[in-house]
C-alpha cells in the first residue's frame, strides 16, 4: 500500500494486567480524583465514589485515561476512546497469558 492509500486512522489495542499492591492507596487516589472533577454532577460524583469504594477495578478505570497515552504524541489527535477494567484471575504460567501468542497482531 502506498502512502496515498493508507488510512489516516489507527486503532491501538493495549492490554495490561496490574497487581494491586495497596487497595487503600488506589481507592484514595480515585476518590481524590472524583472530588476534583468539575464536570460531574453531585449525583454522578456519589455513584462514582460508591463504585470505586466497592471495586478496585472501578478505581483503576477511573484513574487510567487513554487520552494521557497520546497526549504528547506529535501529529495525532484522539478521535474516539473507550476503556474498561475488571478483576481477573492471573496466572503468568498459563498459556492464555502469553502475550506473544496474540494471533495476527504484531507485538511491539
Amino acid at each position: 500500500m502506498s502512502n496515498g492509500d493508507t488510512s489516516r486512522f489507527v486503532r491501538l489495542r493495549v492490554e495490561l494486567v496490574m497487581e494491586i499492591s495497596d487497595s487503600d492507596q488506589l481507592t484514595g487516589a480515585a476518590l481524590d480524583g472524583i472530588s476534583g472533577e468539575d464536570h460531574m454532577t453531585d449525583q454522578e460524583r456519589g455513584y462514582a465514589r460508591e463504585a470505586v469504594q466497592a471495586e478496585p477495578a472501578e478505581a483503576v478505570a477511573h484513574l487510567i485515561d487513554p487520552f494521557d497515552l497520546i497526549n504528547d504524541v506529535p501529529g495525532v489527535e484522539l478521535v474516539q476512546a473507550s476503556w474498561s477494567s475488571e478483576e481477573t484471575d492471573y496466572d503468568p504460567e498459563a498459556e492464555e497469558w502469553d502475550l506473544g501468542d496474540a494471533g495476527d497482531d504484531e507485538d511491539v
Side-chain angles (χ1 to χ4, degrees):
M1 217 181 246
S2 70
N3 271 349
D5 294 337
T6 60
S7 176
R8 295 181 2 188
F9 300 97
V10 173
R11 179 180 298 222
L12 173 66
R13 293 186 178 139
V14 177
E15 184 168 332
L16 303 169
V17 177
M18 295 168 274
E19 180 178 1
I20 298 171
S21 59
D22 188 332
S23 61
D24 290 338
Q25 186 177 20
L26 173 65
T27 300
L31 290 172
D32 288 346
I34 292 166
S35 295
E37 290 193 17
D38 296 331
H39 70 278
M40 293 178 115
T41 66
D42 288 340
Q43 185 177 17
E44 291 170 329
R45 195 173 281 112
Y47 290 139
R49 284 185 183 124
E50 287 177 24
V52 302
Q53 288 173 324
E55 181 70 44
E58 289 291 335
V60 169
H62 185 78
L63 291 169
I64 303 296
D65 187 345
F67 294 97
D68 292 340
L69 293 173
I70 64 142
N71 204 22
D72 295 327
V73 177
V76 299
E77 180 180 330
L78 187 62
V79 177
Q80 179 180 358
S82 67
W83 65 103
S84 65
S85 181
E86 62 187 19
E87 288 188 11
T88 187
D89 292 325
Y90 178 65
D91 177 2
E93 302 300 319
E95 195 172 307
E96 69 184 278
W97 291 103
D98 183 5
L99 297 182
D101 292 337
D104 294 334
D105 294 342
E106 185 176 312
D107 293 332
V108 178

